[in-house]
Amino acid sequence: MEAKDLMDAHETDGDGVGAAPSVARLLLELRAQVTIDVRSAGKTVQVRPQGVNAVAVYIHPGGVDLAVEPDRANEAALAIPGAYIKDPDDPNCFITVDAYLIDQNYDALLAGAVQAVELRAVDPPAKAPKAAKAVKARATTTRSAAKAPPKARPVPRPEPAICPVCRQYQLLASGECPSGYC
């Protein structure tokens, strides 16, 4: 599927973003520089190095997210005006460029996207540190060994008030019978 067709399928022009032509151009030029796989997931287009399952670039109606090394995240965000680090504590670090800044920062964005694809081709995304997993595993075993607190039961709802005259209809919030005859 062509880049322009992918973005038009998600109607990004109709959402007021207006970035579809820039994004289509970005995808076409990125494809000319590196070999990529492009997949669509909802309103997001995922760009991956060919044959690798790790996502290097997310393109969504809000903008573009580029994968970067956590050590270089601040430097990469400063290289593209208006870019910011999505989650600085995540080992799979991404910088985000908002949709309205794509045209202004197109060349830097293209260079960042090429670097992101090359990064993911060589270095797959980091997994959670083993020490954190071990602490998590120990925490779950100590909880399960201790007596688990009883599960909360839902509070029963009160029965709705029924008209005392006709005994047929539920009373309205005002306390009147909806039949109009009582």
Side-chain angles (χ1 to χ4, degrees):
M1 184 179 268
E2 285 297 314
K4 178 79 173 136
D5 296 336
L6 270 172
M7 295 313 294
D8 287 343
H10 298 299
E11 300 173 5
T12 53
D13 270 338
D15 291 343
V17 174
S22 301
V23 169
R25 189 173 126 216
L26 176 72
L27 283 173
L28 290 173
E29 289 186 20
L30 185 61
R31 184 171 280 167
Q33 293 185 21
V34 289
T35 54
I36 58 173
D37 287 333
V38 179
R39 296 182 192 166
S40 177
K43 287 195 169 195
T44 303
V45 176
Q46 301 174 348
V47 178
R48 308 163 191 256
Q50 191 166 17
V52 178
N53 201 25
V55 178
V57 180
Y58 288 102
I59 301 171
H60 48 86
V64 178
D65 298 342
L66 304 171
V68 293
E69 296 174 6
D71 303 338
R72 277 191 4 92
N74 196 30
E75 178 185 320
L78 291 173
I80 303 173
Y84 57 92
I85 302 170
K86 193 170 186 178
D87 185 5
D89 298 328
D90 189 7
N92 299 319
C93 198
F94 284 89
I95 60 169
T96 300
V97 179
D98 289 329
Y100 68 92
L101 297 171
I102 291 175
D103 285 331
Q104 298 167 5
N105 304 316
Y106 182 79
D107 294 330
L109 188 63
L110 178 61
V114 169
Q115 289 175 358
V117 170
E118 290 171 350
L119 171 70
R120 288 297 190 235
V122 174
D123 187 26
K127 301 208 184 231
K130 290 184 180 182
K133 285 184 183 178
V135 169
K136 194 179 210 182
R138 273 187 269 144
T140 57
T141 56
T142 56
R143 280 191 218 133
S144 60
K147 185 177 179 183
K151 291 186 178 178
R153 294 183 184 161
V155 177
R157 293 185 178 179
E159 291 292 321
I162 304 293
C163 176
V165 177
C166 66
R167 299 177 192 264
Q168 185 176 6
Y169 298 108
Q170 292 180 7
L171 294 177
L172 298 173
S174 62
E176 298 176 6
C177 180
S179 69
Y181 298 109
C182 299

